């Protein structure tokens, strides 16, 4: 059964005498236009891209009509009309452009609105709301301006309740046509912060950074939140590793206790850490590294490794490189 949540707040508008408090519905789950077009296309026998073109043309025609004179346009699910947003301090207050705006809205018809007529909502506070939110994306090395992604370079995503272990959770970029592009999550720092990079080099342009999550509520709906970002096609060279090992132990052997690890290769200049991987490919340890004359260097003083065979991996602006090693502790 769906859980409908509302947040109660004081009514500061003209109707506050008759309704001192109002409830705001917490919208959790959203459906992207690409998903909507796919479902419509399956029912009417059209490809999703053609459905998107028809819908886009219809909305453009309605917007052009409303620009000439505000009218009510009836559709199968409701009516499109002009509405004034914001609040008025009194019933006879004038329109204030600083707090009000004239916008187009789709008002659902009675059949859809009455579906919630007999529903008892759950009152929650802001602290209890499991709403998922994406606030911003920021390149790790070039932090300003925000919401600007530089090719395959690592970027940080900040938000709220972005639990990526939920069933159906996903992170991807989406262009204006609804085409999605995979994003590789590098590290989950908390449910408010993670780092990621695009899996491939994309064309420059405007995208949506989309995060799907249930906010940590296993029985809750799969929510979709996004932040609009700009993507720069920055072509950085791909890194390579030619040797990796601790000094005095030879290539391919990593002594994890009290030793210095050298990773030698090409195009490693922008790497800032070395990742030590388990035999399963999962990250076991991350160690800070410095670059000098074609090599990354890191000082190791770690507990006993969880396995004998593993690998070292580095990430640079141009991508990643991995080299198989054997762990030891002596």
């Amino acid at each position: 059964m769906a859980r409908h949540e509302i947040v109660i707040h004081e009514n500061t508008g003209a109707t506050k005498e008759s309704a001192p408090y109002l409830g705001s519905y917490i919208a959790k789950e959203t459906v992207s236009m690409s998903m909507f077009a796919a479902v419509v296309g399956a029912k009417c026998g059209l490809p999703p891209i053609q459905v998107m073109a028809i819908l886009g043309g219809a909305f453009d025609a309605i917007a052009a009509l409303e620009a000439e004179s505000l009218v009510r346009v009836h559709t199968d699910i409701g009516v499109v009309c002009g509405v004034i947003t914001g609040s008025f301090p009194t019933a006879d207050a004038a329109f204030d452009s600083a707090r009000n705006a004239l916008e187009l809205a789709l008002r659902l018809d009675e059949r859809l609105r009455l579906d919630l007529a007999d529903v008892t909502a759950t009152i929650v506070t802001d602290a209890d709301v499991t709403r998922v939110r994406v606030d911003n994306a920021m390149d790790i090395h070039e932090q300003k301006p925000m919401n600007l992604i530089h090719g395959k370079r690592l970027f940080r995503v900040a938000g709220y309740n972005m639990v990526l272990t939920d069933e159906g959770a996903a992170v991807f970029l989406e262009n204006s046509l609804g085409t999605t592009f995979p994003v590789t999550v590098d590290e989950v720092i908390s449910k408010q912060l993670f780092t990621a990079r695009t899996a491939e080099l994309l064309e420059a342009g405007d995208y949506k950074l989309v995060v799907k999550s249930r906010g940590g509520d296993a029985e809750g709906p799969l929510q979709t939140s996004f932040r609009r970002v700009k993507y720069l096609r920055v072509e950085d060279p791909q890194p390579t590793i030619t040797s990796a090992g601790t000094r005095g132990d030879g290539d391919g052997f990593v002594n994890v206790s009290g030793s210095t690890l050298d990773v030698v290769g090409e195009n490693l200049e922008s790497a800032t850490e070395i990742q030590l991987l388990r035999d399963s490919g999962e990250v076991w340890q991350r160690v800070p590294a410095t670059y000098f004359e074609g090599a990354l260097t890191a000082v190791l003083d770690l507990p006993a490794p969880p396995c004998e065979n593993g690998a070292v991996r580095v990430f640079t602006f141009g991508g990643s490189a991995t080299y198989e090693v054997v762990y030891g502790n002596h």
Side-chain angles (χ1 to χ4, degrees):
M1 186 175 183
R3 176 183 169 92
H4 300 276
E5 298 177 342
I6 60 172
V7 173
I8 299 298
H9 56 85
E10 183 180 0
N11 182 4
T12 58
T15 60
K16 62 182 179 181
E17 291 187 4
S18 58
Y21 295 95
L22 298 175
S24 296
Y25 189 86
I26 304 301
K28 290 186 174 182
E29 189 166 12
T30 58
V31 178
S32 66
M33 284 294 292
S34 58
M35 295 174 58
F36 179 74
V39 174
V40 173
K43 292 183 176 296
C44 64
L46 295 176
I49 191 171
Q50 189 170 350
V51 175
M52 290 284 286
I54 294 173
L55 292 175
F59 284 121
D60 290 341
I62 292 175
L65 183 64
E66 297 282 0
E68 297 178 5
S69 178
L70 287 179
V71 296
R72 298 174 65 86
V73 180
H74 292 271
T75 70
D76 290 338
I77 60 174
V79 59
V80 178
C81 58
V83 297
I84 296 177
T85 61
S87 60
F88 292 89
T90 61
D92 58 351
F95 184 94
D96 183 357
S97 60
R99 61 192 305 176
N100 305 122
L102 178 61
E103 299 177 348
L104 291 181
L106 174 62
R107 293 288 176 84
L108 300 180
D109 63 17
E110 290 293 321
R111 176 180 57 85
L112 294 175
R113 288 195 297 109
L114 293 178
D115 281 344
L116 297 176
D118 297 326
V119 171
T120 301
T122 301
I123 299 176
V124 297
T125 65
D126 288 335
D128 300 325
V129 174
T130 55
R131 180 171 46 196
V132 177
R133 186 182 72 234
V134 179
D135 289 334
N136 59 68
M138 182 184 71
D139 185 274
I140 294 295
H141 297 278
E142 297 184 41
Q143 299 182 0
K144 295 292 181 68
M146 301 184 74
N147 301 320
L148 183 65
I149 298 176
H150 299 74
K152 294 173 64 176
R153 299 181 185 180
L154 192 67
F155 59 90
R156 185 206 71 182
V157 180
Y160 188 70
N161 278 338
M162 301 181 298
V163 180
L164 302 183
T165 55
D166 288 341
E167 182 182 359
V171 183
F172 55 87
L173 289 184
E174 180 178 303
N175 65 12
S176 59
L177 298 177
T179 305
T180 61
F181 305 91
V183 168
T184 301
V185 175
D186 181 62
E187 180 183 11
V188 176
I189 301 169
S190 69
K191 62 182 181 181
Q192 279 79 40
L193 194 67
F194 66 87
T195 58
R197 65 185 78 236
T198 58
E200 58 187 81
L201 188 62
L202 307 178
E203 295 298 323
D206 296 323
Y207 292 82
K208 291 179 182 177
L209 172 63
V210 181
V211 174
K212 289 180 173 290
S213 173
R214 300 181 189 274
D217 183 359
E219 297 180 356
L222 184 62
Q223 303 175 48
T224 301
S225 182
F226 68 89
R227 174 62 55 186
R228 297 186 185 278
V229 298
K230 289 188 177 295
Y231 188 92
L232 300 181
R233 186 179 175 86
V234 180
E235 300 189 43
D236 294 301
Q238 179 73 23
T240 58
I241 298 176
T242 56
S243 67
T246 46
R247 293 179 188 176
D249 294 311
D251 182 30
F253 185 87
V254 175
N255 174 24
V256 301
S257 178
S259 58
T260 300
L261 171 62
D262 293 319
V263 177
V264 181
E266 297 181 354
N267 304 318
L268 303 177
E269 293 87 343
S270 59
T272 58
E273 69 174 18
I274 298 173
Q275 297 181 357
L276 304 180
L277 308 182
R278 303 173 187 265
D279 53 4
S280 63
E282 298 176 322
V283 176
W284 171 54
Q285 296 284 346
R286 300 170 184 267
V287 290
T290 57
Y291 175 82
F292 181 72
E293 294 185 348
L296 286 171
T297 301
V299 177
L300 304 183
D301 189 11
L302 304 171
C307 55
E308 179 180 357
N309 297 314
V312 297
R313 180 173 64 190
V314 295
F315 278 104
T316 69
F317 289 165
S320 66
T322 305
Y323 195 86
E324 295 183 356
V325 296
V326 175
Y327 291 130
N329 188 2
H330 60 261

